[in-house]
Amino acid sequence: MISRRSFSCFLFAFGLLYSANLVSAGDIVHHDDSLPQRPGCNNNFVLVKVPTRVNGSEYVEYVGVGARFGPTLESKEKHATLIKLAIADPPDCCSTPKNKLTGEVILVHRGKCSFTTKTKVAEAAGASAIIIINNSTDLFKMVCEKGENVLDINIPVVMLPVDAGRDLEVIVSSNSTVTLQLYSPKRPAVDVAEVFLWLMAVGTILCASYWSAWTVREEAIEQDKLLKDGSDELLQLSTTSSRGVVEITVISAILFVVVASCFLIMLYKLMSFWFIEVLVVLFCIGGVEGLQTCLVALLSCFRWFRRFGESYIKVPYLGAVSYLTLAVCPFCITFAVMWAVKRQFSFAWIGQDILGISLIITVLQIVRVPNLKVGFVLLSCAFMYDIFWVFVSKWWFRESVMIVVARGDRSGEDGIPMLLKIPRMFDPWGGYSIIGFGDIILPGLLVAFALRYDWLANKKLKSGYFLGAMSAYGLGLLITYIALNLMDGHGQPALLYIVPFILGTLMVLGHKRGDLKTLWTTGEPERPCPHVRLQPQT
C-alpha cells in the first residue's frame, strides 16, 4: 500500500507539470516575423471559416488559414458573400485556366509555382477568390517571395488541408453545385468563461487555505492543552498530526522543477493516444483520492455523519478505514470511471473540473510550505520553468513544448486531463478557456501558508498577510487573462504574472510590519501563551 505521504508527493509533482494558461481552441491570429513585412505583404495569418452548401443544402464547415498577402476577409458571416466553387484546369493554376471564370472561387493545388503566381493567374482569369489545397492535413503559412510585387493582388487567398480539398473536388466533380463563404470572425475581448474560470481558481485556493489553516489551528489548540496539563500524550499527538503532511524543503522545491522538466520532455516526445490514456488513468486515481477526501471532510461537518467518520473498521491491505470513507469511496470511483468513459462528450468538462478541484484542494491540504524562504525558492523556480517551457523552448524545439503538451497535439485527444476548463460561451471559434493545476497549486501553497501564519498569530484579516496574498493572486491571474486577450489568444504562462505579485506583496508587507525575518526563517509566529510554542512539523 502506498502511504498518504508518498501519494501526496506524487499528486503534487503531477500537478506541478501543467502551469501554462491557454485557450485550447487554438490561436486564430498568428504573428510571424521570419520574413520582413512590406506593403501588400503584411497580413497576419488568421484562421478562416469556410461554410459550404451542396445544391443549396448546408454541408460541412471547413477551417483554413489566410495568406500574408491579399485583402483581409470579412469578420462576420452575414457580410460574407455566398460564391460558387470551381476547380482549376490545370489543377496547379500556374498557367491560365482553360475553364472560363465569372467571379467563382477557384480551387487549386499547391506546387509548381509560388502562391502569389497562382493568385495573380486566378485573378486575371476572373476568379473572386482562390483556395489552395495543401499537400498535407496541416495548414501552411503562405508568404511572399522576395522581390515579388504583390500590391496588385486584390482577391483573398485561403489554404485548406488536403482532406478538405479532396472532399470538395469529389463533390464538384460529381456535377453538384458547391457554394461557400469566406470569413474570419474575431474573438470577443472578454468571454464569460474566463470570468468563471477566474472565480473557480480563486475559490479553490480560498477553500483550501481555510481548510489548511483550520486544521493547523485545531492542532495548535490541542497541543496547547496538552502542554498546560503536562500530558505525556504530546509527543504522540505531534507524531499523529504530522502524519500524511508533506513539508517542502529548499532542495525538494528545486528537485520538483527539475523532475517536472524531465517529465514534460517525456510527455512531449511520447505524446500519443495511449500516453493520454495513461494520464487519464492517473488523473482518475488522483481525482478519486481528492474527491473522497473532500466529501469525507464535508460530511463530517454534520453531526449525523460525524460518528461514522470517527468509527473505524480494519480492512485488509488498507488498515483502519472509517465507515464514512467506505460509504463514499464507491461513489467517487463510479464518478471518475463515468467521466473517463464519457470524457469526449460536450458536458464532460464538468466532471473534469469537479475531480480537478477536489484533487487540488487535497494537495493543498496535505502539502505545506513551512516558511517564506521555501515558498520564494519554489515559486521562483516555477517562474523560470514556466517562461522557459512556454517561450524559450521554441528556440530548441521550434514550438512551445508546454503549449503542445497542454493541448495534447499529436495525441488525437482534446488536451491533457490535468486542467480546469470551461467552454467559451460567446466565442465563434468555440474551444475552452483552461488553466493548469500548477497555476493554482503553486501560488496556493504560499497563500495557505499566509493564512496559517495569520491564524496562529491571532492577526485580524486587515492586519494579516492572507488578504494581501489572496488579492495578489487574483490580480495576477486577472492580468494573465488581459494579456491572453491582448495576444490574440496565444497561450500565456500565468506564473509569469502571478509570482511577482504574490512574492512582492508578502515581502513588502513583511518588511513594513517587521515580520519578514520570522516569515522567512521559521514561518511561525510567537505564541501568545508564555512557554508555549508549536513545533514545526517534520
Side-chain angles (χ1 to χ4, degrees):
M1 175 185 174
I2 299 176
S3 66
R4 193 183 185 196
R5 180 186 290 263
S6 299
F7 190 69
S8 61
C9 289
F10 161 74
L11 293 182
F12 178 64
F14 213 51
L16 181 63
L17 299 179
Y18 308 105
S19 55
N21 190 41
L22 309 169
V23 178
S24 63
D27 305 333
I28 64 170
V29 178
H30 298 263
H31 303 282
D32 190 342
D33 298 322
S34 58
L35 288 176
Q37 297 184 8
R38 60 180 189 272
C41 192
N42 53 4
N43 295 344
N44 289 322
F45 298 103
V46 297
L47 292 183
V48 180
K49 288 196 172 188
V50 187
T52 59
R53 291 174 175 267
V54 177
N55 296 327
S57 301
E58 290 186 2
Y59 188 53
V60 179
E61 182 178 86
Y62 302 103
V63 175
V65 63
R68 174 77 93 184
F69 51 90
T72 56
L73 293 164
E74 290 286 349
S75 61
K76 295 183 179 179
E77 184 178 9
K78 63 181 180 181
H79 295 155
T81 306
L82 192 65
I83 311 173
K84 184 179 178 181
L85 180 68
I87 298 178
D89 181 18
D92 53 50
C93 199
C94 291
S95 58
T96 304
K98 298 177 182 178
N99 48 333
K100 186 178 180 181
L101 301 176
T102 56
E104 291 90 347
V105 176
I106 188 169
L107 187 66
V108 309
H109 284 246
R110 178 183 175 182
K112 293 189 177 180
C113 60
S114 67
F115 298 121
T116 51
T117 299
K118 295 176 186 292
T119 305
K120 290 180 179 180
V121 170
E123 183 178 4
S128 60
I130 179 173
I131 295 179
I132 300 176
I133 304 173
N134 197 17
N135 49 20
S136 68
T137 55
D138 299 325
L139 293 175
F140 185 83
K141 294 180 179 180
M142 297 179 287
V143 298
C144 311
E145 298 291 338
K146 292 183 179 180
E148 285 186 324
N149 179 23
V150 293
L151 292 173
D152 55 347
I153 294 179
N154 299 304
I155 62 173
V157 186
V158 176
M159 173 173 283
L160 288 180
V162 63
D163 50 353
R166 288 174 179 171
D167 188 22
L168 290 173
E169 283 184 316
V170 170
I171 297 173
V172 175
S173 299
S174 65
N175 295 324
S176 298
T177 301
V178 177
T179 54
L180 52 80
Q181 294 172 287
L182 301 174
Y183 69 104
S184 180
K186 297 180 180 179
R187 281 204 168 107
V190 178
D191 192 271
V192 178
E194 294 170 354
V195 177
F196 282 109
L197 198 62
W198 184 90
L199 292 173
M200 190 184 300
V202 171
T204 298
I205 291 182
L206 197 66
C207 293
S209 298
Y210 271 96
W211 186 10
S212 178
W214 179 84
T215 302
V216 170
R217 186 171 66 173
E218 291 297 307
E219 293 174 0
I221 292 173
E222 187 66 25
Q223 199 170 39
D224 286 351
K225 289 180 181 179
L226 293 175
L227 281 170
K228 289 178 182 178
D229 297 339
S231 173
D232 294 334
E233 298 177 0
L234 177 61
L235 182 60
Q236 182 181 355
L237 174 68
S238 179
T239 303
T240 304
S241 63
S242 63
R243 186 188 307 158
V245 173
V246 177
E247 280 199 350
I248 303 173
T249 64
V250 172
I251 299 299
S252 62
I254 297 173
L255 286 178
F256 270 131
V257 177
V258 174
V259 173
S261 296
C262 296
F263 195 52
L264 189 66
I265 294 177
M266 185 179 69
L267 288 176
Y268 175 73
K269 294 295 184 180
L270 301 179
M271 184 63 67
S272 60
F273 176 78
W274 70 267
F275 205 86
I276 290 291
E277 296 299 308
V278 173
L279 295 181
V280 168
V281 172
L282 295 175
F283 174 72
C284 287
I285 295 173
V288 168
E289 170 72 12
L291 186 59
Q292 174 183 285
T293 303
C294 292
L295 285 178
V296 169
L298 183 62
L299 293 174
S300 296
C301 296
F302 300 94
R303 184 178 301 176
W304 192 84
F305 291 103
R306 191 175 303 158
R307 58 177 180 172
F308 293 101
E310 296 173 350
S311 302
Y312 293 85
I313 184 174
K314 192 172 183 179
V315 179
Y317 304 106
L318 298 179
V321 180
S322 70
Y323 286 98
L324 185 56
T325 300
L326 288 178
V328 167
C329 188
F331 167 78
C332 297
I333 294 175
T334 302
F335 187 89
V337 171
M338 288 298 296
W339 170 81
V341 173
K342 302 288 186 181
R343 70 181 187 277
Q344 301 296 343
F345 286 67
S346 59
F347 55 81
W349 64 273
I350 300 174
Q352 180 171 328
D353 287 351
I354 292 174
L355 292 172
I357 289 173
S358 302
L359 192 153
I360 291 171
I361 291 177
T362 300
V363 170
L364 290 177
Q365 167 65 12
I366 296 173
V367 182
R368 295 177 184 174
V369 169
N371 52 53
L372 184 57
K373 179 176 70 174
V374 174
F376 180 87
V377 173
L378 179 64
L379 289 188
S380 297
C381 290
F383 176 83
M384 293 183 287
Y385 166 88
D386 236 14
I387 293 177
F388 181 85
W389 290 113
V390 174
F391 295 131
V392 183
S393 62
K394 294 179 182 179
W395 298 344
W396 278 274
F397 300 92
R398 298 184 180 180
E399 57 186 353
S400 173
V401 173
M402 180 77 78
I403 293 177
V404 170
V405 171
R407 290 192 309 220
D409 293 359
R410 302 188 297 271
S411 68
E413 293 271 350
D414 187 20
I416 59 175
M418 281 66 69
L419 301 162
L420 298 185
K421 55 194 287 189
I422 296 180
R424 297 178 63 83
M425 304 173 189
F426 301 104
D427 191 335
W429 291 98
Y432 294 88
S433 289
I434 63 177
I435 184 171
F437 284 3
D439 295 332
I440 303 175
I441 292 176
L442 294 172
L445 289 170
L446 208 54
V447 175
F449 160 76
L451 186 59
R452 290 195 302 270
Y453 182 91
D454 289 350
W455 281 21
L456 290 176
N458 291 328
K459 289 182 177 289
K460 295 182 179 179
L461 187 63
K462 291 184 178 180
S463 60
Y465 296 94
F466 170 72
L467 181 61
M470 193 74 250
S471 300
Y473 176 78
L475 182 59
L477 188 58
L478 178 63
I479 292 177
T480 301
Y481 283 113
I482 294 175
L484 192 69
N485 288 297
L486 291 177
M487 299 293 180
D488 298 309
H490 291 258
Q492 293 295 303
L495 296 182
L496 172 65
Y497 309 94
I498 295 173
V499 169
F501 273 93
I502 289 186
L503 291 180
T505 299
L506 289 178
M507 295 183 74
V508 169
L509 287 178
H511 177 74
K512 184 177 180 181
R513 297 169 181 174
D515 297 330
L516 184 58
K517 184 177 180 180
T518 304
L519 288 168
W520 185 263
T521 55
T522 64
E524 183 182 318
E526 294 294 331
R527 303 288 289 147
C529 299
H531 311 297
V532 178
R533 188 174 186 272
L534 179 64
Q535 295 298 320
Q537 296 177 356
T538 57

